[in-house]
Each structure stands twice: as structure tokens, then as C-alpha cells.
Amino acid sequence: MKTSTLKRHLIEIAEKLTPESTIEDIYAHLSLLTDIDESERQEKAGETLTQNQVQEASAKWLK
């Protein structure tokens, strides 16, 4: 993850912190934002599967 993206995510998380927030909450939120960024990158790069492709692959795995 680029430093600018990490900084943006951390600022976004910091703005939503409550007194009850834990380091685990922060890590979970950062992980979620990172996963979303990666999913968007994969979608733009055409690295995703259609629903039919997933169903076909799943059928093979479940045999």
C-alpha cells in the first residue's frame, strides 16, 4: 500500500474513533479499507470472475 493511501485511511479511521475504540477496531477497519482498495484495483485490471465462472469453479471443487 502506498504511503499516501495508508495515511488517508488512517486519517479516515482516526476521525471515526470513539473512546471505546480499541487497537483491534482500528486494525479491522484498516484491513477492510485495504481489502476494498485491492478489490477495486482487481476490478479495474479485469482480474475478477463472473458469477457463472465462480459457480462453475465451485462445482468442480465440491465434487
Side-chain angles (χ1 to χ4, degrees), residues 5 20 31 46-47 50 58-59:
T5 303
E20 294 80 27
S31 179
E47 298 173 357
T50 66
S58 296

Side-chain angles (χ1 to χ4, degrees), residues 20-34:
E20 294 80 27
S21 296
T22 65
I23 193 72
E24 289 82 11
D25 296 333
I26 295 167
Y27 179 75
H29 199 137
L30 182 59
S31 179
L32 175 63
L33 292 174
T34 302

Side-chain angles (χ1 to χ4, degrees), residues 36-48:
I36 290 169
D37 282 350
E38 177 63 13
S39 295
E40 289 174 347
R41 185 204 62 75
Q42 289 173 334
E43 193 276 327
K44 286 178 186 174
E47 298 173 357
T48 58

